[in-house]
Amino acid sequence: IRIPSINVDATVVELGIVDIGNERSYQTPDNTVGHIPETSDPGQQGTGWFFAHLESFAAGEGNIFRHLPEVTDMIKEDPVDIYLQTSDAEFIYRVTATSQVDEEDLHLTTSNDAQITLVTCWPPRVYDQRVVVNATLIAYRYL
């Protein structure tokens, strides 16, 4: 995944499920961007969900989305594009909206269009909110 306007150039991995006591959760991305495998893949109809850390002081799992909250102001002036590359194509998404929600209010949704949603924790060192960035597929090219 590349987001040139916020200097993101990172690997995407499929997140697995881990047991945490008597509940199950997705593993956290470790210096990567994590894709929820049950959501749409790049270029597919529906919504693909991608997560990365804003910062990870205790676990040392990186800060790939440290500038993601800045996209909210950026899109007021210029388009922000997100590039997702697979083995056979590159997909270009344009950010259409951003929001901030309580961590308990974040739910995976889908769409009739080809979309992606990027998520990171917010605010720094508190992490009880989520910054959510939505983008829609605008172009693709085969490699």
Side-chain angles (χ1 to χ4, degrees):
I1 185 170
R2 290 185 306 109
I3 312 171
S5 59
I6 58 170
N7 298 315
V8 169
D9 189 349
T11 302
V12 175
V13 298
E14 299 295 305
L15 296 178
I17 300 284
V18 293
D19 288 317
I20 304 173
N22 45 346
E23 64 180 57
R24 295 168 57 102
S25 179
Y26 289 100
Q27 64 190 149
T28 59
D30 187 353
N31 291 289
T32 61
V33 174
H35 174 245
I36 303 293
E38 293 82 9
T39 67
S40 297
D41 288 328
Q44 289 183 338
Q45 180 180 347
T47 303
W49 285 75
F50 298 85
F51 291 75
H53 290 290
L54 177 76
E55 56 192 9
S56 177
F57 292 116
E61 294 177 327
N63 60 354
I64 290 173
F65 278 174
R66 68 188 168 277
H67 296 296
L68 192 65
E70 298 170 22
V71 170
T72 298
D73 288 331
M74 289 177 158
I75 63 173
K76 294 174 184 173
E77 301 294 324
D78 291 302
V80 172
D81 292 336
I82 301 164
Y83 301 82
L84 276 167
Q85 187 170 325
T86 63
S87 60
D88 58 353
E90 181 177 57
F91 301 92
I92 304 169
Y93 293 83
R94 179 150 296 158
V95 174
T96 56
T98 65
S99 60
Q100 186 174 321
V101 299
D102 253 6
E103 63 182 325
E104 292 87 22
D105 294 334
L106 181 68
H107 303 286
L108 299 183
T109 58
T110 192
S111 167
N112 291 328
D113 298 324
Q115 297 186 359
I116 57 172
T117 298
L118 309 181
V119 180
T120 197
C121 297
W122 185 255
R125 298 194 172 108
V126 177
Y127 315 122
D128 62 350
Q129 303 283 309
R130 299 297 177 264
V131 171
V132 180
V133 173
N134 302 102
T136 299
L137 183 67
I138 60 168
Y140 63 90
R141 67 182 179 98
Y142 292 106
L143 303 175

